[in-house]
Amino acid sequence: MSTGLADNTRGALLMTASMAGFTFNDAFMKAASDEVPLMQALFLRGIVTTVLIFMLAIAVGQLRFDLPRRDWGLIALRTLSEVVAAYFFLTALFNMPIANVTAILQALPLTVTLAGALLLGEAVGWRRMVAILVGLVGVLLIVRPGPEGFNTYALYALLAVAAVTLRDIFTRKLTRDVPSLTVALAGAAAIGVVGFFGTLTQPWAPMSALAYGQLLAAALCIIVGYLASVMVMRVGDIGFIAPFRYTGLIWALILGLLIFGEWPDWLTLLGAAIVVATGIFTYWRERQLALKMRRTSA
């Protein structure tokens, strides 16, 4: 096996592990929601994730505070977007089937590409633009904005997509020497702080040992997801690896069925398939354009 193929295999496994970590986190958070209010869950999970990321950042030398003011401003905007995304996403997750929320979130590659064109002036050809529009039709099939099929919490999931899109745009504008773990620490700490202040507005809900275990498991899973997502950027061809992010939807379908007894209807599955297909095409097209630019500049 060639080195490139081996790297691509490792990258695909890491991307799959990353998506599993994030999706298992979602499942544990959703399970805990039976007895833990949202803000209390955010606070408790935030404590664990902040401590773990802080320790990891120190261990690998990625904790830096001597960053330029511009980068700190972008980190602040990114962190705000992440807090907003966490609130809307978890609110939707607590009230919708996990596979439906995850399917809506699969539109992120499309919305990030569109936002890059609109906000950063990045070139997007007509093929990718058509793919984005078709993908958004797939999203409409999932949320079904009509009197019969529309779930109000689907709007929360769409707002989460918008917030994560802004988060990723701000991340793109950071300089390359900003450590990933420093950025992640800011986000985890901010979510925990918001959760803490949120708990002050309502009585503290008593929790069973099971609920504490579910939140601890959620924190550990999200750490695994984040670490794998950082590691995956350092191996293999991202054009080959990126489509494996859609394995998150497979995990969500499996966990939704086994844990919550949920299975999406055929329109939701059709919409998800359209979103995934257009997202993979967008990745493929970006890869082709990048290869073409390399050949031209060589």
Side-chain angles (χ1 to χ4, degrees), residues 14-245:
L14 283 169
M15 180 63 83
T16 302
S18 173
M19 293 302 103
F22 288 128
T23 310
F24 272 83
N25 158 75
D26 297 342
F28 282 121
M29 289 292 284
K30 184 175 177 64
S33 69
D34 289 341
E35 57 179 290
V36 187
L38 173 61
M39 290 299 172
Q40 189 170 322
L42 285 177
F43 171 54
L44 292 174
R45 189 191 67 174
I47 293 174
V48 179
T49 54
T50 300
V51 170
L52 290 177
I53 293 175
F54 179 76
M55 294 171 60
L56 183 63
I58 291 178
V60 299
Q62 279 205 15
L63 187 63
R64 281 188 57 193
F65 297 105
D66 58 334
L67 300 174
R69 181 178 299 178
R70 174 186 176 276
D71 283 324
W72 275 121
L74 289 170
I75 290 174
L77 291 171
R78 182 193 182 281
T79 299
L80 177 62
S81 301
E82 188 152 20
V83 170
V84 172
Y87 171 78
F88 283 122
F89 175 76
L90 288 174
T91 301
L93 181 67
F94 285 8
N95 294 277
M96 288 178 64
I98 185 173
N100 292 48
V101 182
T102 305
I104 294 172
L105 216 62
Q106 302 313 303
L108 270 173
L110 304 175
T111 58
V112 170
T113 300
L114 181 60
L118 297 177
L119 301 178
L120 302 181
E122 296 177 354
V124 176
W126 68 268
R127 294 179 182 85
R128 280 189 291 168
M129 188 58 69
V130 169
I132 290 170
L133 295 176
V134 173
L136 295 179
V137 171
V139 173
L140 290 178
L141 287 176
I142 299 170
V143 301
R144 264 164 284 165
E148 295 182 2
F150 183 70
N151 183 330
T152 304
Y153 291 105
L155 176 61
Y156 281 67
L158 292 173
L159 290 172
V161 170
V164 175
T165 300
L166 287 176
R167 182 200 69 184
D168 288 354
I169 291 297
F170 292 133
T171 304
R172 283 191 186 190
K173 295 174 71 66
L174 288 168
T175 53
R176 291 187 177 273
D177 58 347
V178 176
S180 299
L181 288 176
T182 298
V183 177
L185 179 63
I191 290 172
V193 169
V194 169
F196 169 73
F197 283 107
T199 62
L200 300 180
T201 64
Q202 54 191 327
W204 185 269
M207 293 173 54
S208 65
L210 175 62
Y212 278 109
Q214 288 167 337
L215 292 181
L216 176 60
L220 294 175
C221 286
I222 203 170
I223 292 294
V224 170
Y226 180 75
L227 285 178
S229 69
V230 171
M231 293 168 64
V232 77
M233 295 303 166
R234 300 179 180 179
V235 295
D237 180 357
I238 192 62
F240 174 86
I241 296 166
F244 284 88
R245 78 179 305 278

